[in-house]
Each structure stands twice: as structure tokens, then as C-alpha cells.
Amino acid sequence: MKTIDLSVATVRDLNQALHDQVNNVQDREWVVTHANGAHNLAVGVNEAVSIDIQGHAGYYCAGMNQKASITVHGNVGVGCAENMMSGYVRVKGSASQAAGATAHGGLLVIEGDAGARCGISMKGIDIVVGGSIGHMSCFMGQAGRLVVCGDAGDALGDSLYETKIFVKGSVESLGSDCIEKEMRPEHIEELQELLNRAGFNEKATDFKRYGSARQLYNFKVDNASAY
Amino acid sequence: MCGIVGLYLKNPALESQLGKLFEPMLEAMTDRGPDSAGFAIYGDEVADGWIKLTLQSTTESSDWKALMGELEGRLATSLNWFQNASAAVLKAKAEEAVVRAALAELAPGVRIMSAGQSIEILKGMGLPKEISERFGLANMKGSHIIGHTRMATESAVTMEGSHPFSTGADLCLVHNGSLSNHFRLRQELRREGINFETENDTEVAAGYLAWRLQQGDSLKTALDSSLEALDGFFTFAIGTRNGFAVIRDPIACKPAILAETDDYVAMASEYQALSSLPGIEKAKVWEPVPATMYIWERESA
């Protein structure tokens, strides 16, 4: 196990050491201490290593992650797991805005709450939030699944493409072209599998499903005369 | 960009360490605002009937001693005052308006940074570290303090354009963001008798709150209506004589984080500014919700 203490090492030291593992793994397990809210921790990792970040992390933690399994034992700032491609990121505390933004794959689990714009423009990631999420979450979500065990803020799923959204609690309001949809057996099955994998003791049948009404994202030829 | 920080002590035993606790918070926000910095500290209250002013000169060398002598003669009352680097703190048993009028006449180049019974505002151009060293922040005492590190967008990098801004007694505001309707709102507020010293957007927000409070609003009501009146991006930290508040606009583009323990409430643009506080590992740490007020007030003012 390799420990990097950020009270003596720099963030660049940490990230370079993690990048050096690609195709040449020296250590499978990494621990980062004295994070103290530093930005850009464990960004751009591209190898199947396990990273434990002790303390709170700043912006863009675990951004662009591929293959790695990253756990933050604290809160994270803006843009956690932004553009993640694969792998697993777990936040033991809460996340600020834009968690999992634009991410293509992997699993992001936030045990606490997530702020505004959670999963904005998500493109295939699975996000499971133990608490509630803020406004404008999943805006222009294109693929993947967003699961919320608490409540969702204003304008959930605005201008949504094909992301599936599951919320257990209340939704303050739905964004344009986002509607509630029927929970069919296949949805209950996939949601239960995801909840189990995220480690939450929740019943899929307690959730409602939301998705795109598909009225907005295609150009309607009937509107051609408007131009 | 800009960084904002605030520290409100719940435990009076810490008041002698306020500056020491706050200095690393301000310096941690250097990356967000290297152009200028400043802070408003609340403490060392003057008695009822007295007024405390923080003055800064727009010229390099100012003869505070001569000015205070003249002012004493004009006001026919004895003054307490001391110089702190480029600033002077003046305490007088007089009406605020009378002191303002006398100063305007005797020293038109002197700017009044703050007025009230408790507040002192110290600010200037330079890195946060230079500002805190210039004014001796680490040795300052008080009950609460808010600070700002500026990356200028809406107006020039000058001492006058540095934050915090105060436009009413003991009221002060720091701002991360930018307001888009400040020009029109400034005109309207000027008609209501609010005085502005700069073309800065943040001063308009401070002026708006000062005006609402003059009209009899509580801090809560004034902040509520500011959400309607102000157009733009903002996270504000606000100090009053006995209180501390944080509010974000409904879109919440600008970051904010709060931490609370039995000893203090702390606010910052980023968590790293809080990491030097004692007991932060066990503090309740959370992100304030958009368009929601967070207010802490002492019972006795």
C-alpha cells in the first residue's frame, strides 16, 4: 500500500504517481492523507487501482476516471467524477454541484446529498445518491441512470434525452420535457440491482421513474416554416 | 472569480483569537482573488452616542494627527483615534452625519470605509497576505469577521474597488459573483438618499440592503427582497453589528460552503479555506442551498 501525504507532497506529485501506474502497476492500493479540500485529486487515473482519500476533497476530484476505484472519506467540491469513463467513485459525505457531469460510464455513489446540476449532461454513468439532489439535475442527460433516495430539486431532467431517473422522495418540479413514467418489472429489476451494487438498503418498488417525453430533442419538421 | 470568507464566533472565549483564526482563511483564498483583499471586523464597540469610523486616505501620505486636531476643534468634542497602516480608526461622541460633514470639508481626499459602533473595514490592493500583514490582522480581536479576496471583473483594481463595502451603520457585505442591474439600481437608490462612493456592483448590493434596513426591514426581510431586486450571480456573506448571514442567488453558480461547531460558524468559497480551523474535522460541513438565508445573531446588540 502506498500512502501520499498532501501536507508534504503536492497534488501534482500525487497525480503523476497515479498516472505512472498505467500499464506498469507498482501499487494496487493508494491512500491519500491530509486532503484538506485540495482541488483535482486523483484526476485522470487510467488503471485499476484503489484510492482512498482521507478528508474532504476540493473541485474535480476523480475527474476523467477510468478503471480506478476511488473512495473519498469526506465531502467533495464541484465536479466530482466529472467525465468519468469507467470505474467506481464513492463519496462518504456530500457532493457540491455538477457531480458526475458529462460522465460516460462507471458508477458514482454519493452517500450524502448532491448539490445542483448533479449528472448534468450525463452520457452513460450510473449515479446513486443516498440523500437529496439540487436543482437542474440531469439537465440534458443523454444516457445512464440517476438514482436519488431522497428528494430532487427544481427542474429535474430538463431537456432530457435518454437518461433514466429514479427518485424515492419528492420532486420539487420537473424540467421541460421530463415526465413521470411507469415502473415496469424490468425497471424494478435494473434499479434493484443498481441499489444493491451501490450498497443501499432500499426497495426498488418505493421509487418512481422519470424520463424524456421525447417532444423536444428532435427537430419537428412541422416547425420548418418558423425559419 | 473572487473568494469570500467569514467567521462568526459562538464561543466568546475565542474572541481574542479571531484575527489569528481568520488570517489563514483569507490567505487560503489567494488563488481566487490576488488583486486586492480586505476584511470587516466587529469588536471593540463604542458606547451608545459614540460613533466609530474607519478612514482611508486616497493620497499616499496623510497627516492624520493634524486632521484629527482640526476635527476635534470643529466638533468641539474629544476624539479617540489610532492609525493602522494606511487607515485610521476614529471614535467620537458625536452624530455620524456631523462627523461626515466635517470630514468632507476638512479632508475631501479621505474616504470613509465604515461607520457604526462596532465595525472596522480594512482593505487595499495586493495579495491577501500583504493586506493581513499590513493591518496586523493576526492580532485582532472581535466577535465576527468577513473578508474578501478580489479578482476584478466589473470595475477597476483600486483601493476603492476593493471589498468589503459598507453603506450603512455596522452593515457590511462581501460578494462573489457579478450583478447585471447595478447601474439602474444605483440610480434608484441614489434617489432614495443612499450614498455611493464607487462604480462597483457590490456596493450597490450593500446599498440596497442598507436602504431596506433603513426602511425598517429586518435583515431576513431585506435579504428576501434582495433576491428579487438583484439580477446576477452572487454568493453574499453579510455582517451586522450582532449578526452574520450567508445567501446565494437562486441559480447558485457561485460556490459556498458552511461549517458549524459549538464554537463557531465559518463560511468560505471553498473548503480549503476552512481546513485550518480548530475542530473542523468534526464540524458539521454543508453547502448552503440556493435562495435560502442562513442567519446567526447574538441576542444582545
Side-chain angles (χ1 to χ4, degrees):
Chain A
M1 190 176 75
K2 175 94 172 167
T3 300
I4 293 195
D5 179 353
L6 288 178
S7 64
V8 283
T10 66
V11 172
R12 185 157 295 189
D13 293 338
L14 166 70
N15 285 335
Q16 190 61 57
L18 290 169
H19 297 171
D20 289 344
Q21 303 301 303
V22 177
N23 300 328
N24 180 28
V25 178
Q26 304 291 313
D27 291 281
R28 283 283 171 200
E29 286 179 39
W30 294 69
V31 175
V32 180
T33 59
H34 296 101
N36 283 344
H39 300 320
N40 310 323
L41 297 179
V43 161
V45 182
N46 189 7
E47 190 53 74
V49 294
S50 144
I51 304 162
D52 277 276
I53 297 172
Q54 305 290 357
H56 304 306
Y59 293 3
Y60 310 121
C61 179
M64 301 181 284
N65 181 47
Q66 300 193 73
K67 302 177 196 165
S69 169
I70 300 171
T71 304
V72 182
H73 298 265
N75 300 327
V76 292
V78 174
C80 174
E82 178 188 68
N83 216 63
M84 175 155 70
M85 301 305 287
S86 63
Y88 170 62
V89 174
R90 189 173 194 97
V91 177
K92 305 289 271 185
S94 290
S96 180
Q97 298 187 31
T102 73
H104 290 251
L107 173 64
L108 168 63
V109 179
I110 296 159
E111 293 188 9
D113 298 325
R117 307 173 185 92
C118 179
I120 184 169
S121 195
M122 53 192 277
K123 297 176 175 70
I125 188 179
D126 287 326
I127 304 175
V128 185
V129 181
S132 297
I133 58 171
H135 65 267
M136 290 301 278
S137 286
C138 216
F139 175 65
M140 291 189 87
Q142 289 146 57
R145 296 171 290 184
L146 172 64
V147 181
V148 184
C149 301
D151 304 326
D154 265 325
L156 177 69
D158 192 284
S159 308
L160 197 65
Y161 293 83
E162 287 305 308
T163 301
K164 288 178 192 154
I165 305 174
F166 300 95
V167 182
K168 183 179 172 192
S170 64
V171 173
E172 208 157 318
S173 68
L174 292 173
S176 295
D177 211 32
C178 182
I179 54 169
E180 189 183 337
K181 292 185 168 183
E182 182 197 0
M183 277 288 263
R184 295 195 296 269
E186 67 265 31
H187 302 123
I188 292 170
E189 192 183 331
E190 69 168 313
L191 175 58
Q192 193 63 59
E193 184 276 328
L194 189 51
L195 284 165
N196 294 348
R197 193 147 52 87
F200 287 110
N201 189 19
E202 298 278 359
K203 287 206 306 256
T205 46
D206 293 341
F207 287 72
K208 287 180 177 169
R209 179 168 73 101
Y210 302 89
S212 175
R214 301 189 178 107
Q215 296 301 303
L216 206 54
Y217 68 78
N218 284 326
F219 180 73
K220 283 203 179 69
V221 74
D222 300 347
N223 293 334
S225 61
Y227 294 91
Chain B
M1 205 169 187
C2 300
I4 56 178
V5 276
L7 181 61
Y8 174 85
L9 298 178
K10 292 158 74 178
N11 178 0
L14 289 173
E15 288 189 4
S16 62
Q17 299 171 48
L18 182 68
K20 192 165 153 252
L21 293 169
F22 187 72
E23 186 180 38
M25 294 177 66
L26 191 71
E27 288 177 15
M29 290 293 93
T30 301
D31 288 352
R32 294 188 68 91
D35 293 336
S36 65
F39 52 90
I41 185 163
Y42 292 82
D44 183 28
E45 286 212 1
V46 295
D48 287 341
W50 286 65
I51 183 84
K52 176 161 80 168
L53 301 176
T54 327
L55 310 176
Q56 283 223 47
S57 173
T58 47
T59 52
E60 273 301 304
S61 58
S62 67
D63 188 348
W64 292 113
K65 197 166 179 215
L67 173 61
M68 294 303 166
E70 286 177 67
L71 192 62
E72 211 156 32
R74 180 68 61 98
L75 298 172
T77 175
S78 61
L79 305 174
N80 287 327
W81 71 277
F82 61 89
Q83 185 175 349
N84 184 350
S86 54
V89 176
L90 157 68
K91 301 169 187 171
K93 191 175 181 185
E95 291 285 327
E96 182 188 333
V98 175
V99 184
R100 277 185 183 272
L103 275 170
E105 198 181 323
L106 294 169
V110 163
R111 301 268 183 155
I112 298 168
M113 295 293 127
S114 67
Q117 283 183 265
S118 175
I119 191 172
E120 288 173 31
I121 290 185
L122 297 160
K123 60 187 183 179
M125 285 183 285
L127 292 171
K129 188 177 172 60
E130 292 165 25
I131 305 303
S132 56
E133 282 172 2
R134 185 182 305 162
F135 294 112
L137 171 60
N139 295 318
M140 289 188 178
K141 300 168 184 162
S143 53
H144 52 301
I145 182 167
I146 60 179
H148 186 272
T149 65
R150 180 166 190 237
M151 189 177 284
T153 55
E154 294 280 307
S155 65
V157 179
T158 57
M159 189 275 287
E160 291 85 348
S162 311
H163 301 217
F165 286 100
S166 177
T167 49
D170 285 317
L171 174 78
C172 166
L173 175 147
V174 290
H175 174 201
N176 175 203
S178 64
L179 302 176
S180 41
N181 63 338
H182 64 97
F183 193 82
R184 176 62 60 84
L185 195 55
R186 186 185 295 106
Q187 287 181 323
E188 289 169 9
L189 290 167
R190 275 194 171 129
R191 281 202 289 276
E192 298 288 342
I194 302 290
N195 187 35
F196 292 97
E197 305 258 343
T198 73
E199 293 303 308
N200 185 279
D201 57 334
T202 303
E203 192 185 17
V204 176
Y208 179 81
L209 288 183
W211 173 61
R212 287 314 315 160
L213 294 171
Q214 276 176 18
Q215 299 296 309
D217 277 8
S218 66
L219 181 59
K220 188 175 180 303
T221 325
L223 285 173
D224 239 349
S225 59
S226 76
L227 286 171
E228 291 294 319
L230 301 174
D231 184 14
F233 304 128
F234 54 87
T235 295
F236 292 138
I238 296 137
T240 64
R241 188 174 160 203
N242 61 332
F244 172 66
V246 173
I247 191 166
R248 303 171 79 191
D249 72 79
I251 306 290
C253 281
K254 294 297 175 184
I257 185 126
L258 279 164
E260 185 168 13
T261 70
D262 289 342
D263 288 335
Y264 59 79
V265 176
M267 180 273 171
S269 298
E270 297 175 15
Y271 175 80
Q272 42 182 332
L274 306 179
S275 65
S276 58
L277 288 168
I280 190 69
E281 306 80 14
K282 296 200 174 96
K284 179 188 167 201
V285 175
W286 76 103
E287 183 173 308
V289 173
T292 301
M293 271 170 282
Y294 297 82
I295 300 182
W296 290 267
E297 275 179 314
R298 290 175 186 235
E299 305 223 331
S300 61

